[in-house]
């Protein structure tokens, strides 16, 4: 029975696709919910759901790579996952910039400790992992450092988004 549920089988693929759809829905739900409320800052941008989805995708890939490294498991798809991770991190950086641009003058509300934390997220969660992965020669070296940075930045990003509107 367990062998029928793994990804190569047809039933395993159907379950994986259904799980991915529900996972993306849940990943974007918080961002969309914050964007449609009348909370300061977040009601001014329609891109918050997209930011949550892209961030959830990058942190999920980072977690999979970290767990694969810690368990010593190196499936053939891990190299493809690392390439996808680079593209998703770059997309996350673009979406973060687009969110900030879409906020316009409301962005001044982040000229405090929350803005400093957001800058740390941008540097350590997107720029540093991209630079490190481009310079890394071995997948194992890349996955540990980058995965930890991306996971910490993903947590900080959600913390910043949820709690920064409280200070306005």
């Amino acid at each position: 029975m367990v062998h029928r549920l793994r990804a190569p089988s047809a039933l395993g693929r159907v379950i994986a696709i259904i799980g991915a759809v529900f996972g993306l829905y849940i990943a974007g739900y918080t961002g969309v919910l914050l964007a449609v409320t009348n909370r300061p800052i977040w009601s001014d941008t329609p891109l918050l759901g997209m930011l949550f989805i892209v961030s959830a995708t990058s942190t999920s890939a980072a977690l999979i790579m970290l767990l694969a490294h810690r368990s010593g498991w190196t499936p053939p798809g891990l190299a493809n996952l690392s390439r996808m991770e680079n593209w998703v991190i770059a997309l996350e950086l673009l979406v973060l910039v687009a969110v900030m641009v879409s906020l316009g003058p409301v962005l001044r509300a982040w000229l405090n400790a929350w803005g400093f934390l957001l800058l740390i997220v941008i540097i350590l969660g997107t720029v540093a992992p991209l630079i490190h992965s481009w310079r890394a020669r071995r997948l194992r070296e890349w996955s540990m450092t980058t995965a930890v940075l991306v996971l910490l930045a993903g947590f900080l990003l959600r913390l910043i988004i949820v709690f920064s509107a409280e200070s306005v």
Side-chain angles (χ1 to χ4, degrees):
M1 175 68 179
V2 174
H3 295 289
R4 283 187 250 157
L5 296 179
R6 292 196 177 153
S9 72
L11 181 59
R13 288 176 196 229
V14 169
I15 290 172
I17 290 170
I18 291 170
V21 169
F22 282 120
L24 285 174
Y25 171 77
I26 291 171
Y29 178 75
T30 306
V32 171
L33 185 65
L34 285 171
V36 298
T37 61
N38 60 357
R39 298 294 304 164
I41 301 176
W42 304 125
S43 60
D44 297 321
T45 180
L47 300 175
L48 205 54
M50 181 188 298
L51 177 62
F52 269 70
I53 289 172
V54 173
S55 176
T57 305
S58 70
T59 55
S60 298
L63 182 62
I64 290 170
M65 294 189 69
L66 185 65
L67 292 175
H69 173 73
R70 289 197 42 110
S71 69
W73 185 56
T74 55
L78 203 56
N80 293 334
L81 184 62
S82 71
R83 280 194 299 277
M84 184 205 76
E85 172 86 15
N86 288 336
W87 284 103
V88 171
I89 291 172
L91 181 62
E92 184 176 4
L93 180 61
L94 289 173
V95 172
L96 266 168
V97 170
V99 165
M100 288 189 270
V101 168
S102 73
L103 287 173
V106 178
L107 188 62
R108 284 180 282 152
W110 271 346
L111 295 177
N112 54 23
W114 294 113
F116 180 71
L117 277 175
L118 184 65
L119 183 64
I120 290 173
V121 166
I122 291 171
I123 292 170
L124 293 181
T126 58
V127 176
L130 285 175
I131 291 171
H132 189 265
S133 67
W134 287 331
R135 298 177 90 195
R137 294 188 180 147
R138 296 186 321 247
L139 177 63
R140 184 168 288 232
E141 173 189 334
W142 175 87
S143 66
M144 286 295 291
T145 305
T146 304
V148 169
L149 287 175
V150 169
L151 286 171
L152 288 174
F155 172 72
L156 274 177
L157 178 67
R158 282 159 181 77
L159 184 88
I160 291 165
I161 289 174
V162 170
F163 291 117
S164 66
E166 298 293 326
S167 65
V168 176

